[in-house]
């Protein structure tokens, strides 16, 4: 008898997952999708707390087929996920962490969305339980979008529905040489190669559970691993996205989420040796990917710190980080009749520092928070003059006016 292909393979990599695994598997068992449409592949990565035994007990009673693989500890989540992916037969794959849990209708909704929209990746709304969770991408449900047209670049965890054929065709796997950020690399590549991405924002599909024993993978990893993760992600973006505005905007993710925190308040507690080592690690990354076009998309405070990292200006960087840690609001300096707003962070117009004014220039979006700001500038004046000229030229009975050069405000 031919066995029907399952719709979705749920891959669970588990290490020392008790007692969180109990609720995780209960949420899987409670899924509203027909159990015959699911298969589960669970990999116990050398646990000593009963995780493997509980998985085997679950396999014996679960309403869906469950394969349990037990192995020596691999040192990270990539190996178990790759093993599960290699044995998956479902049309889609979902990676479920053993300490998290699913919303009851999660798999049914995500599979239905992928089938209806024909997309290769589906993001289900995530909520944090005793921990933070990404928020900016859940504004509304989107049947079809991409990484350039939405905020999905700010959620690169692996807990998403992926079309297995996409992963197989492009050989997308988790990099087992990385021990932090491996899911970001995997997910970003899937986004960039996908034939569309869907977002389910009106139903919580995934509950990201904070462990109180400190063993959650995202809490581990030295700073050197973070720099390697940022480098690999920026290199991937540069390889797959041509130069231009789209690449510039994508670079914001590794620069602000992975790299910038290394030069945040914790930097003040680092030894001088570690501070200099961090700048050394950042240098090749910034040389390759930092530019004015990338910088202009950032808030002034972020832009200033990364500018000083790129310039390797340790003492000035420390001043900027101290200001950031103080959580003070930088004063605003309005010029050109309110059309330009500079935020007076440390060393603004300090001749000895020599930092360009452009580093402190607020974008329109940031400048709107300050009273007296007037949207526009020289370009706006020119556009208004052009519209007036067109109106005069097209008005009946009016002679063509002599051309004038508009005066910038």
């Amino acid at each position: 008898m031919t066995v029907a292909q399952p719709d979705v393979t749920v891959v669970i990599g588990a290490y020392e997952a008790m007692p969180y695994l109990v609720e995780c598997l209960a949420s899987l068992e409670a899924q509203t999708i027909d159990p015959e449409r699911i298969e589960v592949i669970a990999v116990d990565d050398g646990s000593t707390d009963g995780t493997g035994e509980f998985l085997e007990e679950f396999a014996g009673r679960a309403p869906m087929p469950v394969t349990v693989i037990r192995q020596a500890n691999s040192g990270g989540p990539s190996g178990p996920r790759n093993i599960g992916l290699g044995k998956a037969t479902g049309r889609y794959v979902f990676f479920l962490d053993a300490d998290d849990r699913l919303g009851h209708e999660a798999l049914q909704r995500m599979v239905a969305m992928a089938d209806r929209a024909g997309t290769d990746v589906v993001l289900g709304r995530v909520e944090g339980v005793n921990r933070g969770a990404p928020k900016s991408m859940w504004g509304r449900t989107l049947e079809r979008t991409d990484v350039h047209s939405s905020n999905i670049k700010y959620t690169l965890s692996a807990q998403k529905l992926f079309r297995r054929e996409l992963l197989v065709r492009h050989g997308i796997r988790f990099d087992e040489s990385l021990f932090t950020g491996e899911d970001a690399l995997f997910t970003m590549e899937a986004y960039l190669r996908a034939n569309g991405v869907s977002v389910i924002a009106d139903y919580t599909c995934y509950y990201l559970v904070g462990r109180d024993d400190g063993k959650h993978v995202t809490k581990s990893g030295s700073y050197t691993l973070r720099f390697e993760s940022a480098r690999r992600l920026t290199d991937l973006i540069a390889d797959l996205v041509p130069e231009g505005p789209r690449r510039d905007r994508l670079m914001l993710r590794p620069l602000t989420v992975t790299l910038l925190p290394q030069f945040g308040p914790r930097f003040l507690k680092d030894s001088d040796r570690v501070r200099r080592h961090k700048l050394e690690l950042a240098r090749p990354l910034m040389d390759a990917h930092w530019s004015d076009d990338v910088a202009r998309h950032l808030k002034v405070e972020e832009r200033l710190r990364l500018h000083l990292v790129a310039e390797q200006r340790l003492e000035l960087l420390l001043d900027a980080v101290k200001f950031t840690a103080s959580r003070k609001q930088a004063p605003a300096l309005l010029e050109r009749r309110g059309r330009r707003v500079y935020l007076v962070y440390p060393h603004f117009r300090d001749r000895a520092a020599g930092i360009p004014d452009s580093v402190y220039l607020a974008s329109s979006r940031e400048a709107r928070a300050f009273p007296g700001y007037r949207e526009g500038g020289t370009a706006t004046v020119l556009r208004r003059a052009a519209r007036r000229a067109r109106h005069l030229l097209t008005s009946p009975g009016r002679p063509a006016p002599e051309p004038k050069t508009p005066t910038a405000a």
Side-chain angles (χ1 to χ4, degrees):
M1 183 177 71
T2 302
V3 178
Q5 180 186 25
D7 283 334
V8 58
T9 300
V10 178
V11 174
I12 304 174
Y15 173 68
E16 305 288 282
M18 299 298 288
Y20 303 92
L21 182 62
V22 176
E23 288 195 29
C24 172
L25 296 181
S27 75
L28 184 57
E29 197 169 12
Q31 289 299 293
T32 55
I33 195 171
D34 191 324
E36 294 181 357
R37 298 171 62 190
I38 311 174
E39 70 171 358
V40 179
I41 299 177
V43 181
D44 171 32
D45 198 34
S47 301
T48 60
D49 66 345
T51 290
E53 291 78 5
F54 192 81
L55 286 171
E56 289 179 342
E57 187 273 329
F58 176 75
R61 62 175 170 78
M64 71 283 289
V66 179
T67 300
V68 178
I69 299 166
R70 302 183 70 174
Q71 64 178 31
N73 182 254
S74 66
S78 294
R81 287 171 177 169
N82 283 336
I83 288 173
L85 179 57
K87 295 186 175 295
T89 64
R91 294 189 297 123
Y92 302 101
V93 179
F94 188 90
F95 298 98
L96 172 61
D97 279 1
D99 40 12
D100 297 333
R101 57 181 184 262
L102 294 166
H104 291 329
E105 301 175 19
L107 295 179
Q108 182 177 353
R109 285 176 179 255
M110 287 189 286
V111 169
M113 173 66 88
D115 285 346
R116 182 170 66 250
T119 47
D120 289 333
V121 184
V122 178
L123 286 66
R125 183 182 183 90
V126 176
E127 287 189 16
V129 179
N130 298 322
R131 63 175 296 184
K135 296 178 181 178
S136 65
M137 63 294 306
W138 311 124
R140 62 191 177 95
T141 293
L142 301 169
E143 290 220 348
R144 176 171 287 271
T145 187
D146 57 48
V147 72
H148 304 292
S149 309
S150 64
N151 269 348
I152 64 172
K153 64 178 175 286
Y154 291 111
T155 173
L156 295 183
S157 61
Q159 294 81 34
K160 295 161 179 63
L161 190 79
F162 298 92
R163 190 178 298 272
R164 188 167 65 88
E165 189 273 334
L166 170 80
L167 305 180
V168 172
R169 173 161 36 99
H170 293 288
I172 303 175
R173 294 172 65 83
F174 294 93
D175 190 329
E176 297 182 33
S177 70
L178 290 175
F179 292 95
T180 186
E182 74 292 328
D183 49 353
L185 206 63
F186 178 96
T187 303
M188 179 62 84
E189 183 172 1
Y191 283 167
L192 291 172
R193 296 192 185 278
N195 174 27
V197 177
S198 299
V199 177
I200 297 175
D202 57 353
Y203 181 83
T204 300
C205 293
Y206 200 85
Y207 292 91
L208 198 63
V209 178
R211 295 179 62 143
D212 54 18
D213 57 8
K215 292 183 180 179
H216 197 280
V217 67
T218 58
K219 294 182 180 178
S220 63
S222 73
Y223 70 85
T224 58
L225 300 180
R226 300 288 177 177
F227 280 94
E228 177 63 9
S229 173
R231 184 189 69 80
R232 295 289 296 278
L233 189 54
T234 53
D235 287 351
L236 173 73
I237 293 168
D239 287 344
L240 295 183
V241 183
E243 287 186 23
R246 285 187 163 193
R247 182 197 285 187
D248 295 339
R249 285 190 290 270
L250 285 184
M251 286 296 176
L252 299 181
R253 199 284 177 188
L255 291 178
T256 60
V257 175
T258 309
L259 181 69
L260 190 60
Q262 298 304 319
F263 302 99
R266 74 179 72 172
F267 190 65
L268 300 176
K269 300 178 181 179
D270 291 333
S271 67
D272 186 66
R273 181 189 64 81
V274 169
R275 290 170 184 168
R276 294 183 185 279
H277 189 213
K278 285 185 174 183
L279 284 176
E280 180 184 333
L281 292 171
R283 185 197 296 269
L285 192 153
M286 299 300 282
D287 286 349
H289 304 298
W290 179 249
S291 69
D292 290 342
D293 289 332
V294 173
R296 68 186 181 87
H297 293 290
L298 295 170
K299 294 178 180 178
V300 171
E301 185 274 330
E302 296 171 330
R303 188 191 307 142
L304 175 61
R305 279 190 285 150
L306 286 176
H307 172 83
L308 295 171
V309 170
E311 295 291 320
Q312 301 282 293
R313 307 283 298 274
L314 176 57
E315 295 306 318
L316 302 187
L317 176 60
L318 284 170
D319 291 339
V321 174
K322 288 174 185 175
F323 193 95
T324 297
S326 74
R327 299 190 176 185
K328 294 178 183 176
Q329 173 61 60
L333 174 64
L334 278 68
E335 294 185 349
R336 300 208 178 176
R337 299 181 183 177
R339 290 193 176 93
R340 229 172 237 194
V341 176
Y342 294 98
L343 299 186
V344 186
Y345 283 95
H347 301 290
F348 175 65
R349 291 182 178 169
D350 176 351
R351 287 189 177 184
I355 302 171
D357 279 7
S358 58
V359 174
Y360 299 88
L361 181 62
S363 66
S364 296
R365 183 175 182 179
E366 192 171 7
R368 289 186 194 117
F370 297 93
Y373 170 64
R374 297 173 63 195
E375 191 96 27
T378 301
T380 301
V381 173
L382 290 171
R383 285 195 295 270
R384 287 174 181 167
R387 284 198 298 270
R388 183 171 179 274
R390 285 196 298 271
H391 174 73
L392 291 172
L393 287 171
T394 56
S395 297
R398 286 184 181 270
E402 292 293 323
K404 293 182 179 179
T405 303
T407 302

